[in-house]
Amino acid sequence: MRPFLPLLRFFILWCILCWSLPGNARTSLAELDAQLELLLPGAGLQEQSARAYAKQQLAALLAQLEKRKIEKKNPHQALAILRNEVEGTFLLAYTPYADINLLFKRGQYDQATATALYALLFQHLEMPYALQIQGSEIVLVADLEDNNQVIRIPGTGSRQSTENQLFQQLYLDLLRNLNFLPKNEWSRPPEEVFRTYYLGNDNQLTLAELADFLYYSQALNAYRDKSWTLALGLLAKTNPSASRPAYIVLEQAIWLQIANSGDNSPGTLTYLWKLWQASPNDPWQGELLRRFNTITSTLPKPGKWAIDSVYGVFNDRFARSPAAQLQLREMYFLQQARCQAKLGNSQLVMDFMDSLYLLRPHDTGIHNVLGGMLVWSLRAKREFGPGLESIQFYENRYPFLRNNLFFQDQHLFYLAERVRALLDREDEAPGMAAFQDFKDLARRTGRTPRYDSWITTSYLAVSNFYFRKGNYSQALATMADALRDAPGDSYLEHRMEVLRRYLR
């Protein structure tokens, strides 16, 4: 039995020490681990060490309060003693967005961490209190029986008031930028909107909710430092079942910063999709569609299948929004048509343009784009025969092209080339008929982008034809007609001077 005597003696001594402690202190020290785990969570050695150090510091403070017989004082006296000890021991250096771990190690504090410390002490000393939201901060209100008193934290007076006003304005601006609220909410007073969409209208908080606010405060600090990953990690530690508007808004603000980081990588797009899922409308929908255009326009190996692959991903993500899918489909057809036009695949260009035109037959914007793409495709055809056949086919298929200046400019080019080809080989009757067709179209369309060039081509072909026939007066008259349509053209003026010499 002798080996057990030292253990028995230790047990008796431990019991005597425990029984000699006041009831409140015993309860506080026994519950302190659970309370500290709320404020300093984590299972790693570093986190456990931080909690152990904080517990040691708090135990020393509680012992000091016991020496001063705080439990025998009236509420006002007890509060004065508590504040004196806390401010002298812990609240040494006001530091915005302070980490609560540094409160115990270095005495660095802010409104939130100091309030958390007071809440711990009030709870373990069984002093009645409440945690309340005031502006952008959480305060502790002591119940002193005859009245309630807000615990003011040193260093947070006028500065806190100014910072709160600035923070409120910045927060409301962020709500607007994130499109977080329905438009009708902005008709309410700003203070009311802030109160509702910051921490909510629930004015009473628990210690666990204060712990969540500490994570939020640290995440806000990380956001200010542009440490997006750290900020998201800190927000992830808040209790999702009790998440407040401010935490959701900050999370979405971080998503936006990552999404706008300057590239279209899958990582940045992930966060843009998150924003759209949270609020499936503009501006996120418009930005996603713009990203689709950018990605498909800058593919390293552009082609039908590459664009199809990107389209498939976006279309699946837009599954719950038929309107977004319709816009995406229009952009898909447009991008495919552009790609195929660059590659010279005329038939595929036609296929995709048909699809786009069927979706929006009266959209003038689409008319302009399609007209431009057709011109791009047609410019590869230099011969007037196939070119005019294509012109007629496209005009029959897309009647709006008859009023498209760029498309009709290409039409004039083919007609001018036909006039030159026919008259250069002395086919007078068909050449002059072609010239009349050119003049009729030029009169109908007016000045197209390259109008002067085609005037020069066609009229010069006719003038040269007359010149070869020896009909110098008619050759000169033709040049005079050309100058009326293209006044100031230096080449035509030079040609006029040459012809005048033959008439002298």
Side-chain angles (χ1 to χ4, degrees), residues 177-178 228 252-264 267-269 271-272 275 284 287 290-291:
N177 292 336
L178 290 172
W228 316 128
Q252 291 188 15
I254 298 168
W255 293 347
L256 181 59
Q257 294 297 337
I258 298 174
N260 286 337
S261 60
D263 61 64
N264 291 310
T268 62
L269 273 176
Y271 291 101
L272 191 55
L275 285 165
W284 318 127
E287 177 61 18
R290 188 192 69 78
R291 295 286 180 96

Tab-separated table of all heavy atoms in Angstrom, residues 177-178 228 252-264 267-269 271-272 275 284 287 290-291:
chain	number	residue	atom	x	y	z
A	177	ASN	N	-22.724	48.323	-55.201
A	177	ASN	CA	-21.834	47.733	-56.193
A	177	ASN	C	-22.079	46.242	-56.374
A	177	ASN	O	-21.901	45.704	-57.464
A	177	ASN	CB	-20.376	47.971	-55.798
A	177	ASN	CG	-19.990	49.434	-55.878
A	177	ASN	OD1	-20.608	50.208	-56.609
A	177	ASN	ND2	-18.992	49.833	-55.120
A	178	LEU	N	-22.490	45.592	-55.302
A	178	LEU	CA	-22.756	44.155	-55.373
A	178	LEU	C	-24.176	43.859	-55.834
A	178	LEU	O	-24.539	42.694	-55.985
A	178	LEU	CB	-22.519	43.511	-53.994
A	178	LEU	CG	-21.073	43.432	-53.525
A	178	LEU	CD1	-21.013	42.966	-52.078
A	178	LEU	CD2	-20.267	42.487	-54.409
A	228	TRP	N	-7.074	37.847	-50.173
A	228	TRP	CA	-8.401	37.310	-50.432
A	228	TRP	C	-8.582	35.901	-49.862
A	228	TRP	O	-9.617	35.590	-49.273
A	228	TRP	CB	-8.688	37.302	-51.933
A	228	TRP	CG	-8.295	38.549	-52.669
A	228	TRP	CD1	-7.523	38.629	-53.791
A	228	TRP	CD2	-8.649	39.905	-52.357
A	228	TRP	NE1	-7.374	39.927	-54.194
A	228	TRP	CE2	-8.054	40.741	-53.340
A	228	TRP	CE3	-9.405	40.498	-51.346
A	228	TRP	CZ2	-8.196	42.119	-53.335
A	228	TRP	CZ3	-9.546	41.870	-51.353
A	228	TRP	CH2	-8.963	42.668	-52.321
A	252	GLN	N	-19.064	38.111	-50.713
A	252	GLN	CA	-19.321	38.435	-52.118
A	252	GLN	C	-18.344	39.493	-52.627
A	252	GLN	O	-17.938	39.461	-53.795
A	252	GLN	CB	-20.765	38.897	-52.291
A	252	GLN	CG	-21.786	37.787	-52.090
A	252	GLN	CD	-23.201	38.214	-52.442
A	252	GLN	OE1	-23.404	39.228	-53.097
A	252	GLN	NE2	-24.174	37.441	-52.004
A	253	ALA	N	-17.959	40.418	-51.760
A	253	ALA	CA	-16.974	41.428	-52.160
A	253	ALA	C	-15.633	40.762	-52.478
A	253	ALA	O	-14.936	41.153	-53.421
A	253	ALA	CB	-16.804	42.468	-51.051
A	254	ILE	N	-15.272	39.749	-51.700
A	254	ILE	CA	-14.027	39.005	-51.963
A	254	ILE	C	-14.150	38.249	-53.280
A	254	ILE	O	-13.218	38.236	-54.098
A	254	ILE	CB	-13.729	38.038	-50.804
A	254	ILE	CG1	-13.516	38.811	-49.502
A	254	ILE	CG2	-12.482	37.206	-51.121
A	254	ILE	CD1	-13.498	37.937	-48.266
A	255	TRP	N	-15.300	37.617	-53.505
A	255	TRP	CA	-15.517	36.924	-54.794
A	255	TRP	C	-15.310	37.899	-55.949
A	255	TRP	O	-14.678	37.545	-56.951
A	255	TRP	CB	-16.931	36.369	-54.864
A	255	TRP	CG	-17.237	35.262	-53.905
A	255	TRP	CD1	-16.344	34.550	-53.158
A	255	TRP	CD2	-18.535	34.745	-53.588
A	255	TRP	NE1	-17.010	33.624	-52.389
A	255	TRP	CE2	-18.340	33.725	-52.636
A	255	TRP	CE3	-19.827	35.052	-54.007
A	255	TRP	CZ2	-19.407	32.998	-52.110
A	255	TRP	CZ3	-20.889	34.336	-53.485
A	255	TRP	CH2	-20.688	33.309	-52.550
A	256	LEU	N	-15.850	39.119	-55.794
A	256	LEU	CA	-15.751	40.106	-56.865
A	256	LEU	C	-14.291	40.499	-57.112
A	256	LEU	O	-13.860	40.634	-58.261
A	256	LEU	CB	-16.579	41.345	-56.510
A	256	LEU	CG	-16.588	42.471	-57.545
A	256	LEU	CD1	-17.129	41.986	-58.883
A	256	LEU	CD2	-17.413	43.646	-57.043
A	257	GLN	N	-13.530	40.672	-56.037
A	257	GLN	CA	-12.124	41.035	-56.194
A	257	GLN	C	-11.354	39.935	-56.917
A	257	GLN	O	-10.532	40.207	-57.794
A	257	GLN	CB	-11.490	41.303	-54.821
A	257	GLN	CG	-12.044	42.513	-54.091
A	257	GLN	CD	-11.784	43.814	-54.824
A	257	GLN	OE1	-10.871	43.910	-55.635
A	257	GLN	NE2	-12.593	44.825	-54.546
A	258	ILE	N	-11.619	38.683	-56.567
A	258	ILE	CA	-10.929	37.571	-57.229
A	258	ILE	C	-11.372	37.480	-58.683
A	258	ILE	O	-10.563	37.269	-59.586
A	258	ILE	CB	-11.197	36.245	-56.488
A	258	ILE	CG1	-10.653	36.320	-55.051
A	258	ILE	CG2	-10.553	35.081	-57.229
A	258	ILE	CD1	-10.998	35.111	-54.203
A	259	ALA	N	-12.684	37.651	-58.911
A	259	ALA	CA	-13.212	37.569	-60.280
A	259	ALA	C	-12.634	38.660	-61.165
A	259	ALA	O	-12.479	38.469	-62.376
A	259	ALA	CB	-14.738	37.665	-60.252
A	260	ASN	N	-12.288	39.814	-60.574
A	260	ASN	CA	-11.752	40.941	-61.348
A	260	ASN	C	-10.234	41.008	-61.291
A	260	ASN	O	-9.654	42.079	-61.479
A	260	ASN	CB	-12.334	42.259	-60.827
A	260	ASN	CG	-13.776	42.449	-61.248
A	260	ASN	OD1	-14.224	41.871	-62.226
A	260	ASN	ND2	-14.503	43.260	-60.501
A	261	SER	N	-9.598	39.885	-61.023
A	261	SER	CA	-8.139	39.882	-60.847
A	261	SER	C	-7.377	40.022	-62.157
A	261	SER	O	-6.159	40.015	-62.161
A	261	SER	CB	-7.696	38.610	-60.122
A	261	SER	OG	-8.075	37.466	-60.871
A	262	GLY	N	-8.094	40.099	-63.296
A	262	GLY	CA	-7.413	40.411	-64.545
A	262	GLY	C	-7.235	39.266	-65.508
A	262	GLY	O	-6.616	39.422	-66.551
A	263	ASP	N	-7.766	38.097	-65.191
A	263	ASP	CA	-7.667	37.004	-66.153
A	263	ASP	C	-8.991	36.259	-66.209
A	263	ASP	O	-9.895	36.503	-65.428
A	263	ASP	CB	-6.532	36.038	-65.776
A	263	ASP	CG	-6.756	35.389	-64.408
A	263	ASP	OD1	-7.750	34.645	-64.264
A	263	ASP	OD2	-5.949	35.613	-63.489
A	264	ASN	N	-9.093	35.335	-67.165
A	264	ASN	CA	-10.319	34.561	-67.342
A	264	ASN	C	-10.099	33.095	-66.987
A	264	ASN	O	-10.696	32.205	-67.579
A	264	ASN	CB	-10.806	34.676	-68.788
A	264	ASN	CG	-11.314	36.071	-69.105
A	264	ASN	OD1	-12.119	36.622	-68.376
A	264	ASN	ND2	-10.824	36.655	-70.180
A	267	GLY	N	-10.377	29.645	-62.106
A	267	GLY	CA	-10.482	30.075	-60.711
A	267	GLY	C	-11.240	31.376	-60.554
A	267	GLY	O	-12.125	31.496	-59.709
A	268	THR	N	-10.912	32.367	-61.381
A	268	THR	CA	-11.600	33.653	-61.272
A	268	THR	C	-13.049	33.525	-61.726
A	268	THR	O	-13.946	34.141	-61.146
A	268	THR	CB	-10.884	34.731	-62.097
A	268	THR	OG1	-10.897	34.351	-63.473
A	268	THR	CG2	-9.448	34.904	-61.656
A	269	LEU	N	-13.284	32.718	-62.760
A	269	LEU	CA	-14.659	32.534	-63.232
A	269	LEU	C	-15.527	31.860	-62.181
A	269	LEU	O	-16.713	32.132	-62.079
A	269	LEU	CB	-14.665	31.699	-64.518
A	269	LEU	CG	-14.498	32.476	-65.826
A	269	LEU	CD1	-14.422	31.512	-66.996
A	269	LEU	CD2	-15.632	33.455	-66.026
A	271	TYR	N	-15.631	32.342	-59.046
A	271	TYR	CA	-16.177	33.330	-58.117
A	271	TYR	C	-17.184	34.248	-58.800
A	271	TYR	O	-18.117	34.733	-58.157
A	271	TYR	CB	-15.041	34.121	-57.470
A	271	TYR	CG	-14.249	33.258	-56.525
A	271	TYR	CD1	-13.031	32.710	-56.903
A	271	TYR	CD2	-14.751	32.950	-55.262
A	271	TYR	CE1	-12.324	31.883	-56.038
A	271	TYR	CE2	-14.050	32.140	-54.388
A	271	TYR	CZ	-12.836	31.608	-54.787
A	271	TYR	OH	-12.151	30.784	-53.934
A	272	LEU	N	-17.009	34.485	-60.095
A	272	LEU	CA	-18.018	35.250	-60.820
A	272	LEU	C	-19.323	34.463	-60.910
A	272	LEU	O	-20.420	35.026	-60.778
A	272	LEU	CB	-17.509	35.595	-62.218
A	272	LEU	CG	-18.324	36.613	-63.014
A	272	LEU	CD1	-18.494	37.911	-62.233
A	272	LEU	CD2	-17.661	36.894	-64.355
A	275	LEU	N	-21.132	34.788	-57.643
A	275	LEU	CA	-21.860	36.049	-57.546
A	275	LEU	C	-23.173	35.971	-58.308
A	275	LEU	O	-24.210	36.445	-57.834
A	275	LEU	CB	-20.997	37.195	-58.098
A	275	LEU	CG	-19.848	37.656	-57.209
A	275	LEU	CD1	-18.873	38.517	-57.997
A	275	LEU	CD2	-20.376	38.414	-56.002
A	284	TRP	N	-23.837	40.745	-62.958
A	284	TRP	CA	-23.045	39.509	-63.078
A	284	TRP	C	-23.349	38.761	-64.380
A	284	TRP	O	-22.442	38.216	-65.010
A	284	TRP	CB	-23.307	38.601	-61.873
A	284	TRP	CG	-23.368	39.346	-60.587
A	284	TRP	CD1	-24.354	39.320	-59.658
A	284	TRP	CD2	-22.397	40.273	-60.082
A	284	TRP	NE1	-24.075	40.161	-58.621
A	284	TRP	CE2	-22.879	40.762	-58.852
A	284	TRP	CE3	-21.181	40.746	-60.557
A	284	TRP	CZ2	-22.174	41.687	-58.089
A	284	TRP	CZ3	-20.476	41.668	-59.795
A	284	TRP	CH2	-20.977	42.128	-58.582
A	287	GLU	N	-21.609	40.477	-67.202
A	287	GLU	CA	-20.162	40.270	-67.138
A	287	GLU	C	-19.785	38.848	-67.551
A	287	GLU	O	-18.781	38.645	-68.239
A	287	GLU	CB	-19.664	40.553	-65.711
A	287	GLU	CG	-18.184	40.316	-65.492
A	287	GLU	CD	-17.285	41.194	-66.353
A	287	GLU	OE1	-17.761	42.216	-66.887
A	287	GLU	OE2	-16.096	40.842	-66.498
A	290	ARG	N	-19.925	38.726	-71.233
A	290	ARG	CA	-18.754	39.416	-71.785
A	290	ARG	C	-17.527	38.517	-71.695
A	290	ARG	O	-16.717	38.448	-72.633
A	290	ARG	CB	-18.500	40.721	-71.023
A	290	ARG	CG	-17.430	41.602	-71.657
A	290	ARG	CD	-17.009	42.727	-70.737
A	290	ARG	NE	-16.286	42.232	-69.587
A	290	ARG	CZ	-15.006	41.865	-69.623
A	290	ARG	NH1	-14.333	41.922	-70.751
A	290	ARG	NH2	-14.403	41.438	-68.530
A	291	ARG	N	-17.400	37.782	-70.570
A	291	ARG	CA	-16.267	36.857	-70.423
A	291	ARG	C	-16.337	35.748	-71.471
A	291	ARG	O	-15.303	35.310	-71.988
A	291	ARG	CB	-16.268	36.245	-69.023
A	291	ARG	CG	-16.032	37.210	-67.881
A	291	ARG	CD	-14.589	37.662	-67.771
A	291	ARG	NE	-14.431	38.578	-66.662
A	291	ARG	CZ	-14.017	38.225	-65.443
A	291	ARG	NH1	-13.713	36.963	-65.194
A	291	ARG	NH2	-13.896	39.127	-64.493
